[in-house]
Amino acid sequence: MSRTVTAGIDDSPESRAAAEWAAREAELRGLPLKIVYVQEPTPRMAARTPLFDLDSYRRWAERMAGEAATGIRARHPDLDVSTAQLTGTVADVLCEAAGDAELLVLGSRGLGRLGGFLVGSVSLAVVARAERPVVLVRAGEENGDAQRTEPAGTPPGAVVLGLDVDEPAEPLLEFAFDAAARHGVPLRAVHVWPEPPTSFYRFYGDAELYDDLQRGQATLLTEVLRPWRQKYPDVEVIEASRCGSAAQVLVDQSHDACLVAVGRRIRTRSFGFHLGHVLHSALHHIAAPVAVVPHG
């Protein structure tokens, strides 16, 4: 069975933006789009409340998903769009939906002028547990009821890849290069290495040590990227090997990104979110859509 691009929605502007982004991504990938709405099981006390009408709520949810699909079909007439209304714990159901998808797209609330994301517990739980790529999109990036907000002629930006050259993850590299090729944009590969321990003390020879480290780290990045350049010869690759804080450098290098791809190691423990500080910073402070790619 063919995979889908799946968008999880609710009644927020962020989820409408996510659905629109997912629709364009589905077109690029030649895949159908599946719009999913998850209804939490009705709490017993709420069901006993006279003002709570479960049937009306279900009809509203169905209508909301239907209206979202209708709008996307109007803007993307050649796209195969389906909807599904599911019941259960939202994070659990979305993780299950991600397993059947090429990628799962969710909305994430923006922080206004500060940029970035305000990531809720559901999004964090899905990102931490899903075994397929998850993309978080904020409403400021795309508007589900309109076209892109950038002025005409604005460059589309780059796909930014946050890469650890000591443990390069093939699924992450594959995802990032494939995304750059599909979107027809450059790939900026960002690798960050720590400050030399002696640099704080200004020992004799520090400058030479720094230069050697800089050249060595840049060479490592080039070697990691070499086979992927050969596999994707049409993708322009920009190598960014920097010294400093990995989280801060990745945020700084993503100011003009159309998509940022970061990795997450799949863990066997079933409790907690287990998100590293780099991924956490990317989710909260990068304004562009962020793709989290799990790997072993």
Side-chain angles (χ1 to χ4, degrees):
M1 182 177 68
S2 175
R3 290 186 180 272
T4 64
V5 173
T6 298
I9 68 164
D10 51 28
D11 61 343
S12 68
E14 293 78 24
S15 73
R16 291 193 292 273
E20 179 65 23
W21 191 94
R24 290 197 300 273
E25 192 68 18
E27 286 184 320
L28 281 175
R29 294 171 178 265
L31 295 175
L33 172 67
K34 185 176 183 179
I35 298 174
V36 172
Y37 175 79
V38 182
Q39 179 182 322
E40 287 271 13
T42 307
R44 183 175 302 176
M45 293 303 295
R48 293 176 179 175
T49 303
L51 297 178
F52 184 82
D53 187 338
L54 180 57
D55 290 336
S56 295
Y57 179 73
R58 287 173 175 167
R59 288 193 296 271
W60 168 83
E62 183 177 355
R63 184 172 65 252
M64 180 192 63
E67 289 174 353
T70 298
I72 286 176
R73 290 188 183 105
R75 294 186 293 275
H76 307 271
D78 297 327
L79 183 61
D80 179 6
V81 182
S82 63
T83 63
Q85 186 174 338
L86 308 175
T87 302
T89 303
V90 177
D92 293 342
V93 174
L94 288 176
C95 284
E96 184 176 350
D100 297 327
E102 188 72 15
L103 72 159
L104 174 68
V105 186
L106 303 175
S108 195
R109 186 171 303 168
L111 296 177
R113 294 179 182 178
L114 296 178
F117 294 108
L118 179 63
V119 183
S121 59
V122 170
S123 296
L124 285 175
V126 174
V127 164
R129 293 164 47 197
E131 296 189 1
R132 299 292 301 171
V134 178
V135 180
L136 297 187
V137 178
R138 71 169 188 164
E141 169 70 14
E142 307 290 341
N143 188 309
D145 300 318
Q147 298 297 321
R148 295 180 64 92
T149 57
E150 292 93 338
T154 299
V159 170
V160 174
L161 164 64
L163 185 62
D164 180 357
V165 297
D166 294 325
E167 296 181 347
E170 289 196 5
L172 175 61
L173 284 155
E174 182 73 59
F175 181 93
F177 270 87
D178 179 71
R182 291 181 187 277
H183 287 264
V185 299
L187 173 73
R188 182 180 300 130
V190 179
H191 159 57
V192 184
W193 45 281
E195 191 101 20
T198 63
S199 63
F200 298 104
Y201 302 99
R202 298 184 179 179
F203 289 159
Y204 177 78
D206 275 356
E208 291 80 0
L209 173 62
Y210 182 91
D211 290 343
D212 288 344
L213 283 172
Q214 187 176 40
R215 286 191 294 270
Q217 293 294 325
T219 299
L220 284 175
L221 178 59
T222 298
E223 290 303 313
V224 168
L225 295 175
R226 188 185 307 280
W228 297 94
R229 286 178 181 269
Q230 295 171 351
K231 184 174 182 179
Y232 292 90
D234 295 331
V235 173
E236 177 189 353
V237 179
I238 303 167
E239 299 182 16
S241 178
R242 300 289 186 270
C243 175
S245 162
Q248 186 60 55
V249 171
L250 181 61
V251 171
D252 292 343
Q253 289 286 324
S254 301
H255 69 280
D256 62 343
C258 66
L259 178 67
V260 177
V262 291
R264 177 188 65 80
R265 183 173 295 280
I266 297 174
R267 301 180 184 274
T268 57
R269 290 177 291 179
S270 60
F271 58 91
F273 290 149
H274 310 299
L275 299 178
H277 74 283
V278 176
L279 175 52
H280 197 272
S281 294
L283 294 177
H284 285 84
H285 298 294
I286 291 176
V290 176
V292 182
V293 182
H295 57 86

